[in-house]
Amino acid sequence: MASGAEGKTVADCENALEWVQNDKRRFLHAVYRVGDLDRTIKFYTECFGMQLLRKRDVPEEKYSNAFLGFGPEDSHFVVELTYNYGVDKYDIGTGFGHFAIASEDVYKLVETIKAKGGKITREPGPVKGGTTVIAFAQDPDGYLFELIQRGSTPEPLCQVMLRVGDLDRSIKFYEKACGMKLLRTIDNPAYKYTLAMMGYADEYETTVLELTYNYGVTEYTKGNAYAQLAISTEDVYKSGAAVELVTKELGGKITRQPGPIPGINTKITSFLDPDGWKVVLVDNSDFLKELGL
C-alpha cells in the first residue's frame, strides 16, 4: 500500500483527517496578556457586562490569570487574561485584529462604556455599504472590541479576528487541522480586503474565527500580547496526528506534542498555523474536570 508522511499509509492519513471532521469541538477561550489584571477585570465587567468566572494566582511562576465571559466556561467562549508579575505593557503587533461582542443595542452599550471612562474608537453607525450597526471600543491595554448590533444570541462574545497572509491557505488549514467550516467569505475590493468566517456552527449562534486578508500584505508582526486560541477535542492524540499531516502540506508546526500538562494532567497539544498564530487543543473531559464538573 502507498505510504504518506513518515511511513503512514494513505489510509492512515485519510482516517486521521476524517476523524477531525467528526470530532466534537468548540472554541473554549482566547488567551492574552494584560498589564493590570484588576483594571481589565473592572473594565470588562462594568463596560461590557462580562462576568468574572474564576481567578487564580500562581506565585511560584509569577503570574495571575482571570477568566471572563457571558456565561459558564463549559458552554461559553471566554477570555483568559494573563498578568505576568512586573510587566505592565505589551506590544499587540499588527496581526491581531479584534474581539467582537454582539449586543441588541450598540448605541446604549457605547453610552455605558463612555460613562465608565472607556474609549470608543469608532462611533456607532451602519457599516460602510451596509446596514449592520457597529462600533469599536478599546480596552485599557489597547485591545480592540468590535460591538455588533444583533438580536438575542446565546454567545455574545462572538468573534476573534486575526490577519493572515494567504487566505486560501489559512481556510484549508483550519478546515483540515481544526475541523472548522467555512461559514462565509466577504470580498471588499473598494477597501482591498477579504474576510473568511470560520467556525463550528452558525456565526449568529456561536463564536467564529474571522480571518482577514489585506490585498498584497503577506506578513504581520505578532507582538507579545495576544497568545493563543484554545479549542476542545475528544482526543488530543488523534488531533495531533492530523495536525502533523496538515502542517507538512500547508505549513505551520507543532509546538507541543500531545500529552498531559505536568501538575494538572489536562491533556493538550499545541501548534502554530502557517502565519504563526498559536492554537491549543484541549481534551474536553479533562477540561471539564478542571472546572470541577
Side-chain angles (χ1 to χ4, degrees), residues 52-67:
L52 175 60
L53 302 168
R54 57 184 171 125
K55 184 179 179 184
R56 62 188 179 191
D57 186 37
V58 189
E60 62 273 17
E61 296 184 35
K62 299 184 178 180
Y63 77 88
S64 304
N65 60 10
F67 296 78

Side-chain angles (χ1 to χ4, degrees), residues 24-31 53-54 56 67-68 71-80 229-236 260-261 264-268 280-293:
K24 294 178 182 177
R25 299 189 178 191
R26 72 176 184 90
F27 294 110
L28 298 178
H29 48 256
V31 184
L53 302 168
R54 57 184 171 125
R56 62 188 179 191
F67 296 78
L68 296 97
E73 289 180 67
D74 64 321
S75 57
H76 287 72
F77 181 65
V78 306
V79 293
E80 178 183 343
L229 190 62
I231 298 170
S232 66
T233 176
E234 297 299 306
D235 190 321
V236 297
I261 302 170
I264 61 173
N265 294 322
T266 296
K267 294 182 287 296
I268 68 167
V280 179
L281 296 175
V282 183
D283 181 278
N284 190 53
S285 60
D286 289 347
F287 176 70
L288 295 176
K289 286 176 189 173
E290 265 193 69
L291 298 178
L293 300 174

